[in-house]
Each structure stands twice: as C-alpha cells, then as structure tokens.
Amino acid sequence: MATVHPIVQGRVVGALACQRDSYLQTLETEVVSCVKWSRPAVSQKPAKNAQKMTVKAETDSDLWLIELADSVLFPEGGGQPTDYGTLLPLKGNHTTSPAIPIHNVQRQGLRCLLYSPQPLSPGDHVRQEVDFTRRWDHMQQHTGQHLLSAVMGTYDGLPTLGWGMGKEGDMNYVDVPRKPSPEEMRDIQDRCNQLIRENLPITVKTPENAQDNKLPGDYDKSLGIVRVISIGDLDQNTCCGTHLRQTSHVSLILLSAKTQTVHSKNCRLFFTAGDRAVQLSSNSVDAMSSISRLMSCGSAPDEIVANVKRLWDVTAELKKKEANLLLDLARHEGNQARTLLQGGKNAWVYHPDGTFEFINRVVSTVGAETIKGCLGVVIIAAGEVKKPGPVVVYGEKEAVEAAVAKIKGVVKDIKGGGKGERWQGKVPEWRREEMEALKALACS
C-alpha cells in the first residue's frame, strides 16, 4: 500500500468547509496530493483506536487517495457515514473532463482523503459537489440523536452509551443502561418534538478548553480542532459531524416501541428522525389502511389491532388442530406399517409436511415389540421436492444396516447416523426421481 505522508497539506479535519458550513453544497478548491491506493493485506490489523478505513466494495478497480486544500465532502466519523459527491476538474471556468464520482471519504489522522476512481495532479483545480439529499438525511439523524440523548440524559439512569446511524430508510439506535418504561418513552418523544417546535439554535464552537476524552487515538489535538455542538442551553457535546442549524430542521423524532437487550444488561432503543420519520409515518398509515381493508374493519389502530389479534387466535387454533390431525395420521400410518412388518414386508411412510414429531409418533406406534425378529424395516420420509427433509429407518439392527446401504445407493446426498434399531438422516434437497426410487426400495 502506498504510504500517505502524515503532514497535512489541506485543511485539518475539524475545520473543513463541510464542518464550518454544513449547508454548503459546492466548493472550488485544488488538489494538494494524490497517491495510488492498494487494498491492505488481510493479515494487517489496524492500530488501536485508528480510524476505520471502509472502502465501498462495489469494484476492485484502482483507487487514488486525493487530498484537497479544503473539502465540502465529509469524512466518515462520529457515527456519521461518509458523504457521497463528485469532483469536477476545472480549467478556468470550464470543465476538462466528466465528473468523478466519490463514494468514500475518510479521515486519516488530521487529513481528509477522498477515494477516487481516477487520479488527479497536485495543483489541479476542481469543483466539489456533495449529494445533499444524503447529507441532509445524515444531519437530521445525527442532530436528532444529539437532541434525543440530551433529553434522555435528564432521566435517571438513561445516559447514552453509544449510538448507530441506520442505512437510508432504516432506523437508528441508541444504547442506554436500562429499559425505559412505556410512559418514559412517550414523555421522551413528546419532549423531543416540543424542543423541535421551539426551534432552538444549534451552534458550533471550538474552545481551547474543550474536553477531548472522546477524540480518536490518532487525532492530534495540539494541531487539530475540537468542536463542541450546542443545542440552545440544553446540551453541549464534542462532535466532528455535520449538524443542522436549528432544531426545527430535525422536523420530527419517532421512537420505536421495540427494544433490544445488548451486552446482557444494556437496552437498545430504536428511533428515526426528519424526512425518514415522516416517510415511516406515511408508510405506516398506508400499511394500516391496507390491513383494515383486508380485515374488513375500521381504520382506527385499536380496532385493527383487535381484529389482527382475533385472526391470530383463530390461526393458532387451526394450527393446533392441524398438528393434532397430523399426529392422528401418524398413528394411522404407524398401524399400517406395523401390519406390513408383521407380515415380513418393508413399510413406506411419507408426508410432505411431516415433522420429527410426526416421525416419532409413527415409530412409537410401530413399537419396539413389533420389530423383534422382523426381516423388514419401516422407512419414514418427509419434505417436499426441491426442499430438504428427514429420513428415518426403523427395524432390527441388521435389517436397518442393510436398508441404509441400499438407500445411500439411490439417494446420493443423504447423510446421517444412528445405532441399533434406528438410523436418522437428512436430504439437503429432495429430487423427485430419488424420492420415487426410495419409495420403490421400501416397497420391494
């Protein structure tokens, strides 16, 4: 891998154009360095606390690390994904070639490096343009997280331990030490949205006495900049990310009732903000309307839930009856198999929806007394064509061993094992011809 010189030639991360003005969408600047990048060997391990270098794995073609005098494209960091955008080479006021797509920007120490599919030369003038739809979404989620964490921090035992931004359209999460009550969840959501309506200012400062305990291990504070994001008088937090100017631009914060236990004791809460939250609300309304039509009921959520629960109860009862009928069928098949074995013949039992409970019921119905001294075996199979399924062979040990040897000759991929009177195997994918051959073998 080409060595990137540690000396910063462009603006340091912390003072980039995208961080000074997160609403800026385009910037003309110049290339200060460009080196070819090669994928690190698998055995290489990143240094402790080093910034993770994630390259979009959509191509294995050559990439170049480009450093610019300044950047409107944000490098991944602080829980916020990399910006996407383009580089447009310029000569005077004219473009010299098509725009270069940029899908990965990373921090390396104090430097901001763009992964480019084609090289440029130091001194080249370029126009950067950011995918602002993506940036706006990231700012809504990130600022939304700061606001949510600030509100949760006012509750006993709910400091934010960590967070993660979901992919486009997905929910984000925050980890806290305990699970909030449903009442707390409603209060937190209401308080967040009240603060959004109050339109608190969001400001960025770079005080020299800022706490730096959250800085990555490879970020040199003596040469870099520590940014503190303030939401009115409510919250102050060090952060490298791009943020909105006012809480009203968050638009909306929604908390999910679903939670998840992490690290055995902490609780993961899921939330979404901004346009994502609006889209989720819209999709939810559409889904509820569709369900109400399918259920032939009103569109009120309580009514829909009640009807779905009734349908669930009916379905559960039908499944229970189906399971009982399947076991009755297993007993019937077991009785027929027992008659055949007592007559010195093999028996074949098959059901496409047969479970191990079905198979065990057949075996128990045949019974250990029946197989004593019998020359035949019962072969029980289940599963549909092109799907996996179990096979059980039951009988006296010598008869089972002889039958299994023949089965392996007609069902090539079957694997299994067993001792004594029962051998159990599995077919990864039934083929119709193999199933017919197995049936013919059992009935011979």
Side-chain angles (χ1 to χ4, degrees):
M1 176 178 176
T3 301
V4 180
H5 198 280
I7 297 176
V8 182
Q9 300 182 60
R11 280 189 178 270
V12 299
V13 174
L16 300 173
C18 57
Q19 295 170 308
R20 301 194 309 275
D21 182 359
S22 57
Y23 288 61
L24 187 64
Q25 300 185 39
T26 185
L27 177 72
E28 291 188 11
T29 185
E30 68 176 39
V31 177
V32 295
S33 72
C34 178
V35 296
K36 191 171 183 179
W37 179 87
S38 59
R39 195 174 298 277
V42 176
S43 60
Q44 290 182 340
K45 294 183 179 180
K48 188 177 181 180
N49 295 326
Q51 174 71 16
K52 181 175 64 175
M53 301 286 282
T54 55
V55 176
K56 193 174 183 182
E58 61 185 8
T59 177
D60 288 328
S61 60
D62 291 336
L63 292 172
W64 281 263
L65 299 180
I66 293 178
E67 183 179 4
L68 303 171
D70 203 349
S71 180
V72 77
L73 299 180
F74 175 73
E76 178 180 1
Q80 183 173 326
T82 175
D83 275 343
Y84 289 175
T86 57
L87 288 180
L88 192 63
L90 299 174
K91 189 171 184 179
N93 293 325
H94 304 286
T95 60
T96 60
S97 62
I100 302 170
I102 301 295
H103 286 153
N104 193 28
V105 188
Q106 295 292 328
R107 179 189 64 79
Q108 191 177 98
L110 299 174
R111 305 178 72 192
C112 175
L113 299 175
L114 285 65
Y115 286 71
S116 170
Q118 68 185 66
L120 293 171
S121 300
D124 285 351
H125 288 268
V126 295
R127 179 184 299 127
Q128 287 181 308
E129 292 186 358
V130 65
D131 178 346
F132 197 69
T133 300
R134 177 181 169 89
R135 162 76 68 76
W136 184 257
D137 173 58
H138 290 173
M139 290 198 295
Q140 287 187 316
Q141 308 314 309
H142 200 164
T143 303
Q145 178 266 316
H146 276 232
L147 180 59
L148 174 61
S149 293
V151 171
M152 289 195 304
T154 64
Y155 288 73
D156 183 40
L158 291 180
T160 296
L161 305 175
W163 88 289
M165 186 185 298
K167 295 180 180 179
E168 181 180 356
D170 291 344
M171 299 199 87
N172 318 296
Y173 70 82
V174 289
D175 291 340
V176 291
R178 66 173 178 85
K179 182 178 179 179
S181 68
E183 293 76 19
E184 286 177 320
M185 295 278 278
R186 285 192 294 271
D187 289 344
I188 290 169
Q189 179 174 278
D190 289 346
R191 179 59 178 153
C192 286
N193 289 307
Q194 178 186 339
L195 292 167
I196 288 172
R197 292 190 298 272
E198 291 178 7
N199 198 22
L200 301 179
I202 300 170
T203 57
V204 181
K205 294 181 180 180
T206 57
E208 292 191 5
N209 62 345
Q211 294 183 358
D212 59 354
N213 57 323
K214 293 183 180 180
L215 291 180
D218 64 337
Y219 190 87
D220 187 348
K221 183 190 175 186
S222 64
L223 298 175
I225 292 175
V226 181
R227 305 167 73 243
V228 177
I229 313 300
S230 298
I231 303 177
D233 296 326
L234 176 70
D235 183 60
Q236 290 188 339
N237 218 318
T238 56
C239 183
C240 67
T242 58
H243 285 275
L244 301 169
R245 292 173 181 163
Q246 56 211 57
T247 57
S248 63
H249 288 181
V250 178
S251 298
L252 176 67
I253 288 180
L254 292 178
L255 294 181
S256 171
K258 181 186 77 170
T259 61
Q260 179 182 332
T261 301
V262 290
H263 305 306
S264 301
K265 59 180 181 179
N266 297 331
C267 178
R268 178 161 291 179
L269 307 179
F270 297 90
F271 78 96
T272 187
D275 296 343
R276 284 195 202 186
V278 173
Q279 186 62 51
L280 175 64
S281 300
S282 178
N283 292 343
S284 299
V285 170
D286 291 343
M288 294 285 276
S289 297
S290 298
I291 294 171
S292 70
R293 287 194 297 270
L294 291 171
M295 300 291 295
S296 299
C297 66
S299 58
D302 290 347
E303 187 174 351
I304 292 174
V305 170
N307 276 270
V308 169
K309 179 151 188 331
R310 280 194 291 271
L311 179 60
W312 175 270
D313 292 340
V314 170
T315 303
E317 184 63 28
L318 289 174
K319 286 184 176 180
K320 183 178 179 180
K321 289 180 178 179
E322 180 187 25
N324 289 334
L325 287 173
L326 196 60
L327 292 179
D328 287 342
L329 177 61
R331 279 191 290 269
H332 172 72
E333 295 281 7
N335 286 326
Q336 287 191 318
R338 182 171 56 197
T339 300
L340 288 170
L341 291 174
Q342 289 170 341
K345 298 180 180 180
N346 292 328
W348 165 252
V349 176
Y350 166 74
H351 196 286
D353 298 322
T355 62
F356 275 113
E357 189 175 7
F358 172 87
I359 292 172
N360 290 336
R361 183 61 58 90
V362 173
V363 170
S364 65
T365 302
V366 170
E369 291 298 321
T370 301
I371 64 174
K372 287 182 179 179
C374 284
L375 299 177
V377 296
V378 56
I379 300 175
I380 313 162
E384 298 179 9
V385 174
K386 296 184 179 180
K387 292 184 178 180
V391 176
V392 169
V393 184
Y394 184 56
E396 284 219 316
K397 181 180 178 181
E398 293 78 7
V400 168
E401 290 175 350
V404 169
K406 294 178 180 178
I407 290 171
K408 289 181 178 180
V410 298
V411 185
K412 301 298 183 184
D413 296 330
I414 193 169
K415 292 183 180 180
K419 295 180 179 179
E421 295 80 13
R422 177 167 173 157
W423 183 91
Q424 185 169 302
K426 186 174 183 180
V427 179
E429 181 181 329
W430 278 115
R431 297 180 179 88
R432 189 177 300 280
E433 60 273 17
E434 290 184 338
M435 188 175 289
E436 290 173 353
L438 182 61
K439 179 180 178 181
L441 175 66
C443 297
S444 60

